[in-house]
Amino acid sequence: MERLRDLAATSAVLERAKGAVMALTGCSPDAAAEELQRRAEAGRRTLLEECWITLGSLLPPDGPAVERRRGRSSHGAVPTSRGPADDGTGALGLLGGALARAATPHDLAGCLLERLPAEVGADAVVIYARRPAGGLELIGHAGVDDTLTARWRQVPPLSGTAALDALRSGEPRWLEDVETDRRRYLLIEDPPGRWRSRAWLPLPADGDSPDACLGILRTRTGPFPARVREQLLAAARLCAGRLRALETRPRPVGGSAAAAVQSVFDALPGAAMLLTPLSAGPGEVEDYRIDAATRQAADLVGGSHADLVGRRLRECCAALTDEPLWRGFARALSGSEPFESEPFAHQVVVDGAAELSVHSVRAARLGEGLIVTWVRHGSSDRQRQRLADVQRLGNLGWASWNLVTGEASWSSEVFALFGREPASGPVGLGGLADLALPEDVPALADALDRLLAEARPFDVPFRVRTSGGLRHLRLVAEVVPDHHGTPAEVHGVVQDLTVQRSAELALVESERAILTQHDVLRAERTLAARLQHALLPLPTSPARLAGLRVEVAYLPAQSGIHVGGDWFSTLELPEGDALFVVGDVAGHGIDAVATMAQLRFTAKGMVITGSSLTGALARLNTLLLHSRDTHGTATMVLARYSPGERRLVWAQAGHPPPLLLRDGRASYLDRPRGMLLGATASPVFEEAECLLRPGDRVVLYTDGLVERPGEGLDRGLERLAEAVVAHRADHPGSLAPLLDAVLEGEDRDDVCVLDIRVPAEPADPAARG
């Protein structure tokens, strides 16, 4: 059993040592085992001893881990589980074995994030490679989101970057206090403040200065203990060996099509690439391999063509992996027409400085691959023109003030907005408030003071007096600090809001006028309602006229603020007959009420004095045509009932016909000829008559009872007839349910109704006996 335990421990140590050798050299497992055996024989040591020596070399020779390794058992076995006494070499051996299986820098970063000891506290891992132009390129990452990778994929060769500082000095940089570190370095982060501590470790290279840097990002605050630093330095040495193995890229074979294209590219100006599609499945392109590139194409991505050849397009040219370009490449590869992209912005490193320029891409098929060419547009002139157009069309301009030198810079549009000659030069930040109207100076000056004292952005409206008149301006400004956090510049935008402000003021005046008019109309409605109530009092109970029972209902409109011109009149004539009138004056308000009163009293007077119904209508028509105080037009029904013969004679002027309910059936009386009052100077009016029977019911009404928006008049008349049949109650107050059934809660005009009932004959006393 003791021998079996020793054998198991030996096997575990051997596998860890093999993983370390594989990570450092990039060799195969068999070659790693042979290398360990060769070293053991050369040093006259056992294989187990050589394995522990190899694992021990991963940590600094003077570290505390060496002393702990000396205390292992005589059999060479070590504890198989991590504990407080574990020196970390076992974990590093496992890490080395895992790194040996990493196929890409992304795999390398993911393996590190997964396998680093928990006490390290790593929350993200990034790997940057130094480009020949001097900047950095993100080649591997784990634990960071797409926003950070997109924003920090390319880092220009700027001073004050911790990763570049570590590469240039060859020494690690331990950033353990984010507030202090932010004053020294440009921190790679998104969002700001997420990574509270970080370590940048240069990856050793064979005989040269480091060309890759490992970043360990942590959300925790605090230092990296000595033990954690040893572990991270050892992990960096493991990553360096594996990364060197990954950097061997395939080169085109001499005499191949790629080599021929490359020879042509070497003699051509311009930016071009030869791409070979890499398939992820049938008919699906996962990526493209760069098999040839011109020197200018390499300049676009920050390197030489030797750095590009053999690499994948997604890895080094993120700008060409946007969805529209990717789909265009697929169309060109399918054999259709060459693809030409829309212009897009692309950042290029020129002489160590990042410069934004505008390019477009053209892709054409060549054999099984694509020839991709870049066209750089004259972006500077076009961008300046676009900026000028934006300022002109938006009535705005930019301005900046250097707080160190005191210099100010204005665009031409700002001079025009302030009405200031460009020859006079821009105004400094301190004198800017003096350009405003006196009453606006305090607010603008206070905002400027708070901007400089508290670095608080502001958005302040103010007014200036120019030769063209008063202008309403708006200033939006912010402070731009230097790398120490000290305010260095103020950037601002001045916008002309004169048109908008004038429109706002006009709108306010219009609202005031509307409110005033609303009050006037409300007062008019109150007056009209009082006048209508005085001129048209409603009876509180059914009336008895010429042996008939008459019930009246008047409902004002549900919407609007005007009073309508609907009206009724009932009168018992001297000879015992009864006169019934229902009318509707066009319009609303006091004029309509006045016209209603004039027609109501005039019609009654004419009939009382002996005029016929048609004669009264003709005279009323003449009255509307020639009276300056009338409201224009009106409709009317005049009906005269003779009780002796139960005869109802009626005439109408453009009004709906009366409804007759007899023996449970409803029908409308045939309308005689009659024109709307006030419509023509020569109307024709005719009379019609109807002999009523005991129990009959006649309903006179205005059009508000049967008319609805978007509905024909026939449907309203049909609805009224159905409701009258359904509501045949004879008791007082039965008119209200009928109106509720007809109107159904709809918005409507004024409604006036006369419900006329002929009493039923009393039953025969003999029949009762």
Side-chain angles (χ1 to χ4, degrees), residues 421-630:
E421 291 294 331
S424 302
V427 176
L429 199 60
L432 192 62
D434 297 334
L435 300 178
L437 292 185
E439 51 267 36
D440 295 343
V441 168
L444 183 57
D446 181 64
L448 291 171
D449 291 341
R450 285 187 285 109
L451 174 74
L452 298 177
E454 305 173 14
R456 182 186 301 176
F458 71 79
D459 185 341
V460 176
F462 60 96
R463 294 167 296 171
V464 297
R465 184 78 63 182
T466 68
S467 59
L470 184 67
R471 282 185 178 169
H472 295 263
L473 301 182
R474 170 195 181 198
L475 175 60
V476 182
E478 66 176 359
V479 169
V480 179
D482 59 15
H483 64 279
H484 297 297
T486 304
E489 283 190 339
V490 173
H491 293 171
V493 174
V494 182
Q495 185 177 14
D496 186 0
L497 301 179
T498 303
V499 175
Q500 295 91 320
R501 185 59 178 160
S502 299
E504 291 173 0
L505 293 176
L507 180 60
V508 169
E509 292 299 324
S510 176
E511 290 176 348
R512 290 176 180 173
I514 290 174
L515 292 175
T516 302
Q517 183 67 18
H518 182 78
D519 293 339
V520 171
L521 293 177
R522 188 178 298 276
E524 179 183 334
R525 171 182 170 82
T526 302
L527 176 61
R530 291 177 179 177
L531 179 61
Q532 184 186 50
H533 181 71
L535 298 176
L536 191 68
L538 296 176
T540 57
S541 61
R544 297 287 179 175
L545 296 175
L548 303 175
R549 194 191 76 186
V550 182
E551 190 170 353
V552 179
Y554 179 82
L555 301 177
Q558 289 181 318
S559 60
I561 64 172
H562 293 296
V563 175
D566 289 21
W567 57 281
F568 71 94
S569 182
T570 59
L571 177 67
E572 187 166 347
L573 300 176
E575 57 270 29
D577 291 354
L579 177 66
F580 303 105
V581 186
V582 171
D584 182 4
V585 176
H588 298 81
I590 293 178
D591 291 339
V593 174
T595 303
M596 175 268 293
Q598 187 178 35
L599 293 177
R600 182 170 184 260
F601 292 115
T602 303
K604 291 168 61 176
M606 289 180 180
V607 176
I608 289 177
T609 57
S611 293
S612 66
L613 301 181
T614 55
L617 290 176
R619 291 181 178 88
L620 291 175
N621 180 75
T622 303
L623 177 66
L624 286 180
L625 286 176
H626 297 287
S627 176
R628 297 181 179 179
D629 299 329
T630 60

Side-chain angles (χ1 to χ4, degrees), residues 2 66 103 118 150 236 251 280 292 337 354 401 451 465 498 565 574 665 753 769:
E2 186 68 23
V66 175
R251 293 291 188 262
E337 294 295 324
W401 294 269
L451 174 74
R465 184 78 63 182
T498 303
R665 298 180 59 185
V753 179

Side-chain angles (χ1 to χ4, degrees), residues 27-280:
C27 64
S28 65
D30 294 337
E34 293 175 2
E35 176 63 16
L36 288 171
Q37 186 65 43
R38 186 191 62 77
R39 294 179 185 177
E41 292 173 358
R44 295 183 179 182
R45 292 183 290 268
T46 65
L47 180 60
L48 185 60
E49 291 173 340
E50 184 61 38
C51 289
W52 280 115
I53 291 174
T54 300
L55 291 175
S57 66
L58 297 176
L59 293 175
D62 55 350
V66 175
E67 297 298 327
R68 290 194 294 271
R69 285 198 299 274
R70 293 173 182 171
R72 61 181 183 270
S73 67
S74 59
H75 298 288
V78 295
T80 58
S81 62
R82 296 286 306 273
D86 185 8
D87 58 14
T89 57
L92 290 172
L94 293 175
L95 177 61
L99 292 178
R101 294 188 293 273
T104 65
H106 286 296
D107 296 342
L108 203 64
C111 182
L112 276 175
L113 185 60
E114 180 181 357
R115 298 300 183 105
L116 281 174
E119 60 185 322
V120 173
D123 296 296
V125 174
V126 293
I127 302 175
Y128 275 97
R130 179 156 49 184
R131 299 288 77 177
L136 295 178
E137 180 182 357
L138 183 64
I139 61 173
H141 59 83
V144 296
D145 53 28
D146 295 338
T147 303
L148 186 142
T149 57
R151 181 177 179 184
W152 296 100
R153 182 176 296 277
Q154 301 284 343
V155 179
L158 304 174
S159 60
T161 304
L164 274 173
D165 191 15
L167 283 176
R168 289 165 179 167
S169 65
E171 298 293 335
R173 292 292 180 261
W174 309 97
L175 280 61
E176 299 168 331
D177 185 348
V178 67
E179 300 303 331
T180 302
D181 298 331
R182 186 173 282 117
R183 291 193 289 269
R184 297 176 54 203
Y185 295 114
L186 173 65
L187 298 183
I188 297 175
E189 56 185 348
D190 197 352
R194 179 181 180 185
W195 312 113
R196 309 300 297 177
S197 59
R198 63 197 77 199
W200 292 104
L201 311 172
L203 301 183
D206 294 335
D208 298 326
S209 61
D211 58 2
C213 189
L214 172 65
I216 306 297
L217 310 181
R218 307 192 306 179
T219 57
R220 69 174 66 174
T221 303
F224 291 86
R227 173 183 173 85
V228 171
R229 293 190 179 193
E230 293 173 2
Q231 291 173 338
L232 290 179
L233 291 173
R237 285 193 290 274
L238 286 175
C239 289
R242 186 57 185 155
L243 195 59
R244 285 195 297 272
L246 294 177
E247 287 178 348
T248 57
R249 306 186 186 96
R251 293 291 188 262
V253 180
S256 66
V261 171
Q262 183 62 62
S263 64
V264 175
F265 279 2
D266 291 339
L268 288 178
M273 297 177 184
L274 173 63
L275 304 181
T276 297
L278 302 177
S279 176

